[in-house]
Amino acid sequence: MVNGASEPKEAILFYGLTLIPWKKGKSLVREFTCPDSLAPSHLAPTSACGGAAAVEAVLKKRRKYAFLDGRFLLAPVAVETLGAWDLDGLRLGCEW
C-alpha cells in the first residue's frame, strides 16, 4: 500500500511483507488487488477472455514496483470481482 502519492518509493509500506525470507534469502512482498470485471474499462477484454482484468492488474503492479526487483520477491495477486484469478496468484496460493 502506498502512504501517499507524493512520498518517495522507499516510503511504501507493504502489509504483505514476510518477516522471514521466502526464497533465495529474500522476503516476499504480496500485493493484492481486486479489479472490477464489469467496469467499462475492463468490459471488452474480460468479455473476450476471462481473467483479462486480473492479468492487466498484475502487469500494472509489476511495473509500479519494478524498483523492488532484486531486493524482494514481488508477488502481485489479482482476483477479479467475478472470481477469476491471475496465474501467478494461483501459483502463490498453492505454495502457501
Side-chain angles (χ1 to χ4, degrees), residues 32 50-51 54-55 77-80 83-91 93 96:
F32 181 82
V55 170
V77 177
V79 180
E80 291 183 17
W85 284 60
D86 69 287
L87 290 177
D88 291 341
L90 282 175
R91 285 187 201 107
W96 285 346

Side-chain angles (χ1 to χ4, degrees), residues 33-46 52-54 57 79-83:
T33 189
C34 184
D36 185 355
S37 307
L38 302 176
S41 59
H42 296 147
L43 200 52
T46 56
V79 180
E80 291 183 17
T81 52
L82 294 182

Side-chain angles (χ1 to χ4, degrees), residues 45-82:
T46 56
S47 297
C49 178
V55 170
E56 180 61 29
V58 165
L59 292 175
K60 286 181 182 178
K61 289 282 185 180
R62 289 198 183 282
R63 283 191 299 268
K64 180 177 180 177
Y65 297 116
F67 69 96
L68 293 175
D69 195 30
R71 294 190 295 169
F72 298 97
L73 297 173
L74 179 62
V77 177
V79 180
E80 291 183 17
T81 52
L82 294 182

